[in-house]
Amino acid sequence: MLHPSYADLIRVVNSEVEEGEDPVVSSRYSIVMATAKRARQIIAGDDELVDGKGKKPLSIAVEELNQGMIKITTDENEEAGATEDSETEETPEPVAAE
């Protein structure tokens, strides 16, 4: 069993969404895509935001997301500009929380 569950991760990601607004993510696919992208960032040399000693990059990405250390944005609501490797306008993009 995956810990935390997909439902828990979706709840964390959408925790800052105001009532009446669209959720940031509403599917497992979005969570999977965002954590996979963050894992690739870690593999490429980005700093880990949690203690990842002895853990695989995907486990680190899931833990970062669960602890609210990264936020998921999409191209349509990302103010910093479009990402070069995004495939569609709704591809989730993990960014470090401020």
Side-chain angles (χ1 to χ4, degrees), residues 5-89:
S5 69
Y6 287 111
D8 292 340
L9 291 173
I10 290 172
R11 199 171 308 116
V12 168
V13 170
N14 292 325
S15 66
E16 295 182 14
V17 174
E18 299 289 328
E19 190 172 322
E21 290 183 359
D22 291 334
V24 175
V25 295
S26 58
S27 69
R28 292 179 180 187
Y29 176 78
S30 297
I31 295 291
V32 169
M33 293 301 296
T35 53
K37 188 165 192 170
R38 176 63 183 144
R40 287 191 301 273
Q41 291 172 347
I42 293 168
I43 290 168
D46 282 8
D47 291 333
E48 300 168 0
L49 303 175
V50 296
D51 180 27
K53 196 170 192 175
K55 295 181 183 176
K56 295 180 180 180
L58 185 58
S59 296
I60 296 167
V62 169
E63 189 173 336
E64 289 175 349
L65 185 62
N66 189 46
Q67 291 183 15
M69 298 181 138
I70 58 173
K71 303 291 180 199
I72 297 176
T73 63
T74 58
D75 286 346
E76 63 188 32
N77 67 4
E78 186 176 304
E79 295 176 352
T83 58
E84 293 179 34
D85 59 346
S86 59
E87 297 171 2
T88 67
E89 287 188 17

